[in-house]
Amino acid sequence: MSAPRQPQKSTYDVIVVGAGIQGSFTAYHLAQRHKDTLLLEQFLLPHSRGSSHGQSRIIRSAYPQEYYSRMMPDSFRLWQQLEAETGTTLYRQTGLVVLGPPGEPELEACRRSLGVDEVLDAAALAQRFPGFRLQAGQVAVLDSTAGVLFADRALRAVQEAFRRHGGTLRDGEKVLRIEPGATVTVTTTAGVYQAPRLVITAGAWTGAFVEQLGLRLPLQPLRIDVCYWREKQPGSAGLGSVSPCFLTLGLSQAPHGIYGLPSIEYPGLMKVCHHHGSPTDPEKRDQAPSSAPRPDIAVLSSFISSYLPGLETQPAVMETCLYTNTPDEDFILDRHPKFSNVVIGAGFSGHGFKLAPVVGKLLCQLSLGEEPSYNMAHFAITRFPGVLGAA
């Protein structure tokens, strides 16, 4: 069902292009700050064409990079604030285990970010969570704060809160042209809008938008297979709703990493995915023939047979999602180098959903010309040389 139509007008304080989780939180923060904000979405809501659909995402405190782990307390607080404001449950605490070889640098960094000393060996992990089987010599770190965000519900909640704060959400309006200047003009399939500030959070479509503005950002959309695996014995210990989430770091059996969530979306099915995919054009992602080879499925099947022996080794349900990756898998959160009233949020690389409340706050601050709450060096456009000059 599409968003309710709101009175059409042409001028706003800020325009946000893209109503996924990042753009919706950005618009929400702007509306909270009493900015007259227009949030544009090219597809009718809800939709499954981008990166914010589906019922579940992992939220965790454990992060190898300190600059993300420092943001997580703020992110948990803002998610709880949205729950309280909307009267909606958005989070289920399940815990998370990080699996890897002992001494692996990123695993050790996760352990330090949590401030824990305990490392579980194969026997201790199997005793605590019988569904998991580590290989000899491998270890696990437990993040007890972690859990599952209800993604579809969260997106709907933040969009509803945005509208309650006076924001305007218009879906089914594809942006055709952006004309920069002291006043930015945005032309869509349904109208022409103007604002002194623009925020672009268009996911896999961001690259095409910023090329109109003379930027060629190294953004690579990937088509991800989202797979659900059936329990061999329904309700078997450790694989039901009380199972923790997990992710791998540094395992040779899991190139690019593998992650999983307990049985929530489909009863008796565990969500286990490879943190990687195939390069795709977001306009054509559904045109891939079903007979095309899918090497990620073979990686997952092999991993499941070794580490999750309670699951069948072929997926019961397969869906797709888009990641938009940067070369270093860090976000882009920055002002346009030439047009300072244009702000870009992109390249969330498959790990941005949990941080969306903080990302939205930072993009809001950048748009309003304020000093951001965090050091932005890791998210700067200038870390990529030669991005300016693409007409």
Side-chain angles (χ1 to χ4, degrees):
M1 187 171 123
S2 65
R5 289 287 95 179
Q6 292 168 285
Q8 180 138 7
K9 63 177 192 173
S10 60
T11 59
Y12 294 86
D13 295 332
V14 193
I15 299 171
V16 179
V17 175
I21 196 66
Q22 313 295 350
S24 295
F25 260 111
T26 302
Y28 165 75
H29 282 290
L30 286 162
Q32 273 194 318
R33 301 284 297 276
H34 308 293
K35 301 302 175 186
D36 187 10
T37 305
L38 171 64
L39 177 58
L40 291 170
E41 170 54 50
Q42 64 173 322
F43 300 114
L44 292 173
L45 293 169
H47 69 83
S48 59
R49 304 288 305 158
S51 305
S52 296
H53 63 281
Q55 294 180 46
S56 62
R57 296 292 190 281
I58 294 174
I59 184 169
R60 55 189 163 102
S61 297
Y63 245 111
Q65 300 90 346
E66 189 183 359
Y67 45 95
Y68 291 121
S69 64
R70 278 199 301 264
M71 293 178 180
M72 284 312 303
D74 197 11
S75 191
F76 273 103
R77 180 185 63 80
L78 289 167
W79 280 115
Q80 289 163 0
Q81 179 180 301
L82 182 65
E83 282 188 317
E85 181 179 342
T86 59
T88 307
T89 300
L90 303 176
Y91 162 69
R92 178 191 291 178
Q93 187 171 358
T94 64
L96 170 137
V97 287
V98 187
L99 314 176
E104 201 281 330
E106 288 197 328
L107 187 73
E108 281 298 299
C110 281
R111 187 182 61 76
R112 288 193 301 272
S113 76
L114 293 168
V116 300
D117 296 322
E118 183 185 17
V119 174
L120 305 176
D121 62 14
L125 181 68
Q127 183 174 15
R128 194 152 184 176
F129 304 114
F132 291 88
R133 179 190 294 161
L134 279 176
Q135 307 303 294
Q138 295 172 349
V139 297
V141 171
L142 175 62
D143 176 355
S144 60
T145 69
V148 175
L149 288 170
F150 302 125
D152 283 346
R153 195 185 298 177
L155 184 62
R156 191 164 57 246
V158 71
Q159 289 171 351
E160 289 171 357
F162 164 65
R163 285 197 290 261
R164 279 199 298 273
H165 285 286
T168 301
L169 171 56
R170 298 190 65 83
D171 63 349
E173 287 199 32
K174 185 178 178 68
V175 171
L176 303 175
R177 189 167 63 256
I178 296 170
E179 299 166 59
T183 298
V184 182
T185 302
V186 177
T187 302
T188 75
T189 49
V192 179
Y193 308 99
Q194 292 187 315
R197 304 175 187 90
L198 174 71
V199 182
I200 299 173
T201 50
W205 289 264
T206 299
F209 284 129
V210 299
E211 279 199 26
Q212 295 180 37
L213 305 175
L215 270 184
R216 183 158 291 165
L217 296 179
L219 297 171
Q220 177 60 69
L222 298 177
R223 180 184 185 273
I224 306 297
D225 290 320
V226 180
C227 302
Y228 300 83
W229 311 74
R230 192 178 307 282
E231 297 172 17
K232 290 177 179 176
Q233 295 181 341
S236 56
L239 293 176
S241 59
V242 296
S243 171
C245 302
F246 77 88
L247 61 88
T248 71
L249 290 173
L251 290 182
S252 59
Q253 302 93 327
H256 306 287
I258 289 172
Y259 64 92
L261 295 86
S263 173
I264 289 176
E265 296 175 57
Y266 299 104
L269 303 185
M270 188 172 183
K271 181 177 179 177
V272 182
C273 306
H274 196 197
H275 192 69
H276 191 59
S278 309
T280 190
D281 178 341
E283 297 287 353
K284 300 176 181 176
R285 74 169 211 184
D286 292 332
Q287 295 178 17
S290 58
S291 59
R294 290 184 163 175
D296 293 339
I297 304 303
V299 169
L300 289 168
S301 294
S302 173
F303 176 85
I304 282 168
S305 66
S306 297
Y307 289 83
L308 296 164
L311 298 180
E312 301 285 353
T313 55
Q314 291 300 314
V317 175
M318 287 179 55
E319 299 171 347
T320 61
C321 189
L322 289 179
Y323 287 3
T324 305
N325 280 31
T326 61
D328 56 13
E329 296 192 3
D330 283 330
F331 311 156
I332 293 172
L333 308 172
D334 204 354
R335 299 183 182 96
H336 190 293
K338 190 174 176 184
F339 308 111
S340 62
N341 60 340
V342 176
V343 170
I344 299 159
F348 295 100
S349 303
H351 66 105
F353 200 102
K354 70 184 76 63
L355 282 156
V358 177
V359 165
K361 182 171 79 169
L362 291 169
L363 293 174
C364 169
Q365 290 168 338
L366 287 170
S367 180
L368 299 179
E370 299 173 354
E371 185 68 25
S373 299
Y374 296 90
N375 184 331
M376 303 296 281
H378 292 282
F379 313 121
I381 287 172
T382 51
R383 75 186 193 268
F384 303 116
V387 297
L388 265 175

